[in-house]
Amino acid sequence: MLSTEEIRQQVEDLGQWFHNLNLDGVQTAPDHFLGDYPRIKWQQFSSALPEDLTGKSVLDVGCNAGFYSLEMKRRGAERVVGIDTDERYLAQARLAAKVNDATIEFRNLSVYRVAELREQFDLVLFMGVLYHLRHPLLALELLHEYVAADLLVAQSLLRGSKESANVPPDFPFWEQDVFAEDEFPRLYFVEQRFADDPTNWWIPNRAGFEAMLRSAGFEIFDHPEDEVFICRHAELTGPVRYTEELREITR
């Protein structure tokens, strides 16, 4: 057991935290610019997830300091794995799990390498990761192909239109007007920085995020919060099956 002072010192030693966690009375990011984040986000969609995860396995992609991993353990998940590529975040997550006496496996692993887990999970969390990726559709395809056995909870920063789009399956070559409509699925490319962060690359509008999820093989069945979509693993139904290309990329 760590004393309050020991926890406070370790929190300070681990540098700036993006997740504001309450570690036995010690707040890790009390001055977060988004408020009590990510708890305020979690409260908006937590009721859309199963209350009882007893016997279930969960993969938390881009786990950061482990807020969502901890919430999954609180709901009784038998196995929780959190992956991230930032060692400082992983150290923060391990401290948070230790203070909460939670058995969670944290690994330094990129979303592009999830096949190395050689395991499928009942629930995959993909929270706040997509817009940090140079190849976001590839990431979604890898999740579908290798680790998502059933549910995917996907969240992304969104900009532009907040409307869904009913896009026809084909367009004539000379069509132009539809691409100028605000609700048409799109990704905004950030060449340099967004919010002073050089890892922000692609920011979708709502229709764009939905289209990417469907294209990767996920069926969206709930939208409990502006940026959050609850999906199920589904069979690919589009005219192009990406699996052969995916195997070529990842072999």
Side-chain angles (χ1 to χ4, degrees):
M1 298 294 292
L2 296 172
S3 69
T4 300
E5 187 53 42
E6 287 173 326
I7 295 171
R8 183 176 290 110
Q9 186 60 56
Q10 290 195 36
V11 166
E12 183 178 337
D13 291 344
L14 288 171
Q16 187 174 7
W17 292 59
F18 187 71
H19 283 182
N20 184 39
L21 308 177
N22 185 335
L23 303 184
D24 277 359
V26 178
Q27 298 293 135
T28 59
D31 300 321
H32 200 295
F33 74 101
L34 292 174
D36 186 13
Y37 191 85
R39 185 169 303 282
I40 55 173
K41 173 73 72 174
W42 170 240
Q43 290 171 344
Q44 298 300 312
F45 70 92
S46 60
S47 61
L49 272 63
E51 288 285 346
D52 185 2
L53 292 173
T54 301
K56 301 295 184 181
S57 59
V58 179
L59 175 64
D60 186 0
V61 179
C63 62
N64 202 282
F67 174 89
Y68 292 110
S69 294
L70 288 167
E71 291 299 329
M72 297 302 100
K73 288 300 290 187
R74 290 189 180 103
R75 295 196 173 198
E78 180 176 343
R79 174 164 166 74
V80 178
V81 178
I83 64 172
D84 209 297
T85 58
D86 189 310
E87 277 296 338
R88 181 168 59 89
Y89 287 154
L90 291 167
Q92 292 174 353
R94 291 184 182 110
L95 173 62
K98 179 179 180 180
V99 171
N100 283 276
D101 194 24
T103 302
I104 303 172
E105 178 184 339
F106 292 107
R107 295 181 56 175
N108 189 321
L109 192 70
S110 162
V111 65
Y112 302 122
R113 295 171 53 200
V114 291
E116 295 178 22
L117 292 169
R118 300 185 182 281
E119 182 178 356
Q120 290 201 320
F121 297 81
D122 300 303
L123 172 60
V124 174
L125 300 171
F126 188 61
M127 306 293 295
V129 179
L130 181 128
Y131 47 93
H132 292 299
L133 302 175
R134 291 275 290 189
H135 311 288
L137 185 57
L138 172 61
L140 289 172
E141 292 171 352
L142 289 165
L143 295 178
H144 181 270
E145 182 73 8
Y146 294 110
V147 294
D150 187 13
L151 296 180
L152 172 76
V153 182
Q155 177 260 330
S156 175
L157 174 73
L158 302 177
R159 287 295 182 266
S161 173
K162 296 183 179 181
E163 301 298 320
S164 288
N166 186 15
V167 179
D170 196 5
F171 304 96
F173 180 80
W174 300 110
E175 173 62 51
Q176 294 189 34
D177 292 344
V178 68
F179 299 104
E181 295 174 359
D182 289 342
E183 66 272 19
F184 190 83
R186 64 184 66 190
L187 287 172
Y188 300 96
F189 179 65
V190 179
E191 183 179 1
Q192 296 187 32
R193 290 173 182 263
F194 177 85
D196 200 32
D197 187 340
T199 72
N200 286 323
W201 295 108
W202 297 97
I203 304 176
N205 63 4
R206 173 180 171 174
F209 193 27
E210 291 176 334
M212 293 174 73
L213 289 165
R214 290 192 298 265
S215 179
F218 293 103
E219 176 190 356
I220 302 168
F221 69 90
D222 201 359
H223 177 48
E225 198 265 352
D226 281 350
E227 298 179 342
V228 176
F229 297 86
I230 315 293
C231 313
R232 281 199 172 91
H233 184 284
E235 294 300 318
L236 293 170
T237 58
V240 176
R241 295 184 61 85
Y242 62 75
T243 48
E244 290 186 8
E245 183 178 4
L246 187 60
R247 293 190 184 103
E248 179 68 20
I249 293 169
T250 57
R251 71 176 180 174

